[in-house]
Amino acid sequence: MSSPEEALADAKKRLNLPRIVVICGSTRFMAEMTGAELRETEAGRIVVKPGCDLKTPHALWSDPAEAEALKARLDELHRAKIRLADEALVVGDYIGDSTRAEIAYARSLNKPVRFTHPEVDPGA
């Protein structure tokens, strides 16, 4: 019996899906993430990335308690995106704790990790 990861990889192969890239990094780099998304899409890859920037004010996360709960849900959602992806692309020239955890998680799943700024790779 195959693992869920093997079953997913097999299904993606049978569906003839393009490579899936998850964009990781601090949401302070949302503009750079959008640029990376454009380049990756142009290269024929499916792209998933953070959908919310909690650093930018918005009614959905204006209450601090709600924002903290939302952050926890978004972190779990992003880990699911990492599991779905074939590789991760880390955007930006700064690696904080959350991004470091995303990189470690992707690598624990044996996902290739690329960097827009390779000099910030915590594993280099």
Side-chain angles (χ1 to χ4, degrees):
M1 186 160 150
S2 64
S3 71
E5 293 81 7
E6 291 166 333
L8 177 60
D10 183 56
K12 289 192 303 191
K13 183 180 278 186
R14 284 186 286 124
L15 290 168
N16 196 30
L17 291 179
R19 205 155 167 78
I20 300 172
V21 177
V22 60
I23 295 180
C24 298
S26 171
T27 56
R28 73 175 69 172
F29 299 117
M30 283 302 268
E32 291 88 341
M33 288 180 183
T34 300
E37 178 182 29
L38 178 65
R39 289 186 300 279
E40 293 296 314
T41 299
E42 190 276 330
R45 299 179 189 98
I46 295 172
V47 180
V48 290
K49 67 180 183 64
C52 296
D53 174 8
L54 299 182
K55 291 179 174 68
T56 301
H58 192 282
L60 287 175
W61 48 85
S62 59
D63 175 78
E66 291 288 325
E68 199 58 37
L70 178 60
K71 171 137 179 40
R73 291 194 313 273
L74 292 175
D75 287 348
E76 185 55 41
L77 180 61
H78 200 70
R79 285 189 290 277
K81 291 175 183 181
I82 292 169
R83 290 191 303 275
L84 175 67
D86 299 304
E87 65 180 305
L89 173 60
V90 180
V91 172
D93 60 0
Y94 162 80
I95 304 291
D97 292 340
S98 293
T99 304
R100 191 177 311 280
E102 293 169 358
I103 294 165
Y105 186 63
R107 287 181 167 154
S108 78
L109 299 172
N110 296 313
K111 308 275 181 179
V113 179
R114 293 186 284 129
F115 292 80
T116 59
H117 294 77
E119 67 275 10
V120 299
D121 181 351

